[in-house]
Amino acid sequence: MFMDISSEIVHALLPLFLTVTLGASVALVGVIDGIAEATASISKVFSGYLSDRIGRRKPLILLGYGLGAFSKPLFALATGVVPVLGARFVDRIGKGMRGAPRDALVADVTPLEIRGRAYGLRQSLDTVGAFVGPLAAIGLMTLFSDDIRAVFWVAVIPGLVAVLLVIVGIEGQRGELAHAKTRLPLRFADLKKLSGGFWAVVGIGVMFTMARFSEAFLILKAHDDGLPMALAPLVLVAMNLVYSLGAYPAGALGDNGGAQRPLLCGLACLVTADIFLASPLGLVGTFVGIALWGAHMALTQGLLAQLVAERAPEALRGSAFGLFNLATGITMLASSVLAGALWDYAGPSATFIVGGGFAGVAALLILFRKRVSVRPGT
């Protein structure tokens, strides 16, 4: 939660910092965000493998949160696009290093019958930080008279709090996983141990990601519709408020009735969001679309993590999360670059129309699977 507060203070203002302050194009914003997410995903492959290999999650989680905290001053010091890319690179390596071990740790310490709720709760806490951060950014922009660099400096503080919480709040004892004979994360022999059900989830996650590009485009859309720069973080506040309120109930729904229905409902929310965002309805229509985008996230993101956990052998669970995040992260690069190019050459409406089309394809993939369960061996 605290690292999300720190990161979202920066991310809520970064698209406008790039386009307004530094003069970057929207296509370049998409490239930067895409490269950053792909970097995080590649890091997750190796962090997941290493956490399986050494049987300890804490060292990699601590390294990841430490890099996240270290990156925040780099945004404040950046004077061009390349330094911003460097700061995003460090930040996303940190996210990648902590992400897969953290998600695997949730499965390690949670009974199967409440695992969906556990992932939903973890996602809710992440998302609480993700709307507290933008709220803080609004207040700080007012306090510092729209000085974005000063706001970036304040973002360092909650990042350091997150690091301290990892140090004092997570046990670092070596567990049973220390005896697991894991190997390099992309060995063919290990890939054969992952079931067809796991690879189906990867395929569904890839198509979800093509439909759901970077939230930076939501901020740029609201700004184009007249939202002042100082209030730009309201975009993430609205989206993440819906996200945080819905993540835990969505996890419980997946525990009780399977994942197919909430995943399809999430895609329906995304298609409807794209319709509102592509339509010339002004700020009101844009914020309806943003809220629906948050509902889509609540209904899908925790459940996808749960599905990965249920379809991977325990000794390879960290590696499975890494592989899943690698696939979706590389896809995020493609989707964000495509979204930025469409924005610059065909306008914002084209970006969201194409996103809605990919969401429809993702729905067909889920229906083709007939039933997406969250129980082992399915």
Side-chain angles (χ1 to χ4, degrees):
M1 183 183 73
F2 277 98
M3 184 56 72
D4 263 26
I5 291 173
S6 176
S7 295
E8 295 303 328
I9 288 174
V10 174
H11 295 164
L13 297 170
L14 193 59
L16 297 181
F17 181 67
L18 283 165
T19 57
V20 176
T21 304
L22 300 181
S25 67
V26 174
L28 190 53
V29 172
V31 170
I32 290 172
D33 262 25
I35 290 174
E37 294 306 321
T39 299
S41 299
I42 293 169
S43 301
K44 286 178 182 178
V45 174
F46 294 100
S47 65
Y49 155 69
L50 287 172
S51 73
D52 287 339
R53 179 72 172 133
I54 67 177
R56 298 176 66 186
R57 312 294 191 195
K58 181 173 179 175
L60 293 167
I61 294 171
L62 179 59
L63 176 61
Y65 280 106
L67 287 172
F70 171 76
S71 72
K72 299 307 181 290
L74 302 181
F75 290 103
L77 295 169
T79 57
V81 171
V82 173
V84 170
L85 177 59
R88 285 282 279 155
F89 187 78
V90 173
D91 180 46
R92 296 297 90 177
I93 285 180
K95 180 179 180 181
M97 291 301 294
R98 66 184 182 257
R102 182 200 61 198
D103 286 343
L105 179 65
V106 172
D108 293 342
V109 302
T110 307
L112 175 63
E113 60 270 16
I114 61 169
R115 194 166 285 162
R117 290 170 173 83
Y119 279 109
L121 178 60
R122 194 271 299 164
Q123 197 68 59
S124 291
L125 289 172
D126 275 357
T127 313
V128 166
F131 73 79
V132 170
L135 280 176
I138 293 171
L140 291 167
M141 285 287 281
T142 302
L143 179 64
F144 295 122
S145 302
D146 293 350
D147 185 346
I148 295 180
R149 294 184 191 277
V151 176
F152 287 170
W153 278 114
V154 177
V156 176
I157 298 171
L160 294 176
V161 173
V163 173
L164 291 174
L165 287 173
V166 173
I167 293 171
V168 303
I170 296 179
E171 294 183 2
Q173 290 88 349
R174 183 181 294 265
E176 293 181 359
L177 289 175
H179 303 293
K181 296 183 180 297
T182 54
R183 299 180 180 180
L184 291 176
L186 296 179
R187 283 179 62 95
F188 182 71
D190 287 340
L191 296 182
K192 290 194 296 183
K193 296 176 184 177
L194 298 171
S195 68
F198 167 77
W199 293 111
V201 173
V202 171
I204 291 169
V206 164
M207 195 53 61
F208 267 68
T209 307
M210 284 302 299
R212 182 191 59 81
F213 35 78
S214 169
E215 285 84 14
F217 294 98
L218 302 180
I219 296 171
L220 294 171
K221 177 66 167 65
H223 184 64
D224 274 4
D225 285 341
L227 188 68
M229 185 165 63
L231 297 180
L234 281 176
V235 171
L236 297 186
V237 172
M239 186 196 78
N240 287 311
L241 179 60
V242 177
Y243 189 177
S244 64
L245 292 175
Y248 185 82
L253 183 61
D255 284 337
N256 296 331
Q260 184 181 40
R261 183 173 297 176
L263 288 176
L264 289 173
C265 288
L267 286 169
C269 287
L270 183 57
V271 170
T272 309
D274 284 323
I275 291 171
F276 274 95
L277 291 163
S279 302
L281 299 176
L283 273 177
V284 173
T286 294
F287 270 90
V288 171
I290 289 165
L292 287 166
W293 196 285
H296 153 75
M297 298 286 285
L299 286 162
T300 62
Q301 298 307 293
L303 282 174
L304 287 172
Q306 184 187 0
L307 289 168
V308 172
E310 300 306 341
R311 282 160 174 75
E314 183 177 357
L316 294 174
R317 189 173 282 146
S319 300
F321 273 108
L323 287 166
F324 177 80
N325 288 308
L326 172 64
T328 55
I330 292 174
T331 306
M332 180 62 79
L333 171 58
S335 66
S336 293
V337 170
L338 176 61
L342 285 169
W343 188 295
D344 276 349
Y345 296 107
S349 294
T351 297
F352 295 108
I353 289 170
V354 171
F358 280 118
V361 174
L364 291 175
L365 284 176
I366 294 172
L367 292 170
F368 179 74
R369 289 287 299 169
K370 295 183 180 178
R371 175 176 168 80
V372 183
S373 174
V374 291
R375 297 294 175 224
T378 59

